[in-house]
Every structure is written in structure tokens, then in C-alpha cells.
Amino acid sequence: MEQILNSKQSTFTYSIIVSQVISNVPATMLLSGFTNSVRELLLGVNIGGLGTLIASLASVISFKLYINEFPEESNKYLKSFTFYNILGLAIIIPLIYLILFCI
């Protein structure tokens, strides 16, 4: 893991990716022991809270609350949620990357 997270750019990138699979809080805990790039890690996992439903435990909780109230709309909610979160990632990642590493 230390070899993977050996730069600020890779820490930023992989923290977003790992957040999509195991959620952003566990990703922070997992990756924090392998990098000194704290700022990039924290920005990556915060941005990584967007994207998949799993990316943020708060999103999972809100989804569960929503489908308890409106079970027939779960697919519609999930499609809209995923679309807007992926769109948010697609807009925010390049902007933050430019600010962090190119300016």
C-alpha cells in the first residue's frame, strides 16, 4: 500500500476509488496508515463520498429511510442518486485535481 500511495496524486486518486467500494470513513482509516499526504487523503475521501451508494454511510442510511417510506420508488431513487453523484464526481474531481496539482 505504501508503494501505491507514494505520491500526493496517487493518495488523492486511490482515496476516491477506495471510498467507492468500502465507504469514505473506512477508506480513511484503511489508507491513513500508509501515506503522509494527509490533505490529499482527506480531500479524496470527502470527494469520494460522492459516487456509488456505498461511498458514504450517510447515503446508505438515507436510502434505507427513503425505501422504507416509498418502497415502490427504490429503483427510481437509486438511478437518480447514482446519476447525480457520478455527475458531481465528474465535475469536482478535475477541478480539485487542477487546484491541488496544477496551479
Side-chain angles (χ1 to χ4, degrees):
M1 287 298 282
E2 289 174 352
Q3 290 177 349
I4 293 171
L5 303 174
N6 63 355
S7 71
K8 292 179 179 192
Q9 291 90 341
S10 65
T11 299
F12 177 72
T13 302
Y14 280 101
S15 62
I16 294 169
I17 293 168
V18 173
S19 293
Q20 300 307 302
V21 179
I22 65 169
S23 190
N24 58 351
V25 174
T28 306
M29 300 305 294
L30 173 67
L31 301 177
S32 65
F34 299 103
T35 184
N36 293 322
S37 302
V38 175
R39 182 176 81 161
E40 290 74 19
L41 173 65
L42 295 178
L43 282 169
V45 295
N46 279 310
I47 293 166
L50 290 171
T52 65
L53 184 65
I54 296 169
S56 171
L57 185 56
S59 297
V60 174
I61 293 168
S62 68
F63 178 69
K64 292 288 252 176
L65 291 171
Y66 187 85
I67 63 170
N68 283 339
E69 204 59 37
F70 308 102
E72 68 283 349
E73 294 186 21
S74 62
N75 285 338
K76 182 180 177 183
Y77 178 91
L78 192 55
K79 287 177 186 176
S80 294
F81 175 90
T82 303
F83 173 78
Y84 288 113
N85 274 268
I86 297 295
L87 180 62
L89 270 179
I91 293 169
I92 292 172
I93 290 172
L95 290 174
I96 298 302
Y97 193 90
L98 283 172
I99 291 168
L100 282 176
F101 306 114
C102 298
I103 295 178

